[in-house]
């Protein structure tokens, strides 16, 4: 008699675990290969801090540019500001509508009123200039973690356990299942 009651419970348990395995529940920063048929997904788990930075060396002036972001409640990306030392292509010397540009001690800071986006595409150039993702007092060298010469769509999404096993955790350890 106990065996007959156990079978539906075991079936329910197995189905529940299988469903939970595929439901996206873990928030993460993702770098997804752009414009490829079967893209690889690299990810950094999103913890309790919603602010992050991207730091790169400007290709002309060879100085640091730091972009400051935060993740919104609905998993969008809000650009807060960017700091740089020299004016050049891609580094404005004036503020547009909804922006404020200040200069202090030779550092330009461009602050945005409310610039929210779903995602952006990032090229990991095949040049020896630094490109880093900063989060939780850690700095990940994207030139070592990602493939040079490729573009990646950066966004914040919820991942399932299956997606995390299939992707590459950007702590230097590969979790990726063989395809």
């Amino acid at each position: 008699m106990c065996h007959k009651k156990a079978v539906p419970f075991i079936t329910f348990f197995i189905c529940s675990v299988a469903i939970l395995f595929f439901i996206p529940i873990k928030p993460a920063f993702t770098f997804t290969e752009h414009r490829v048929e079967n893209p690889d997904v690299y990810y950094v788990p999103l913890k309790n801090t919603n602010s992050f930075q991207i730091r790169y060396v400007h290709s002309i002036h060879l100085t640091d540019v730091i972009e400051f972001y935060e993740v919104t409640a609905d998993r969008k990306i809000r650009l807060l500001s960017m700091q740089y030392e020299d004016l050049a292509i891609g580094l404005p010397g004036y503020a547009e509508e909804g922006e404020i540009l200040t200069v202090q001690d030779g550092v330009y800071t461009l602050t945005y009123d409310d610039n929210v986006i779903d995602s952006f595409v990032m090229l990991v150039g095949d040049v020896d200039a630094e490109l880093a993702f900063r989060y939780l007092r850690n700095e990940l060298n994207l030139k070592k973690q990602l493939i040079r010469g490729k573009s990646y769509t950066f966004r914040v999404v919820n991942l399932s356990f299956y997606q995390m096993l299939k992707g590459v955790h950007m702590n230097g350890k590969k979790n990726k299942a063989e395809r």
Side-chain angles (χ1 to χ4, degrees), residues 100-118:
I100 298 169
L101 181 66
T102 58
V103 182
Q104 185 174 354
D105 298 327
V107 176
Y108 295 86
T109 301
L110 184 63
T111 305
Y112 301 92
D113 285 342
D114 195 33
N115 190 354
V116 179
I117 56 177
D118 292 326

Side-chain angles (χ1 to χ4, degrees), residues 65-96:
V65 177
I66 303 171
E67 298 176 346
F68 297 85
Y69 300 89
E70 72 179 4
V71 179
T72 65
D74 59 349
R75 302 283 189 254
K76 294 187 186 284
I77 301 164
R78 175 176 285 121
L79 179 57
L80 300 173
S81 64
M82 65 187 301
Q83 291 182 334
Y84 45 94
E85 296 175 15
D86 298 295
L87 301 176
I89 296 171
L91 302 175
Y94 60 91
E96 303 259 344

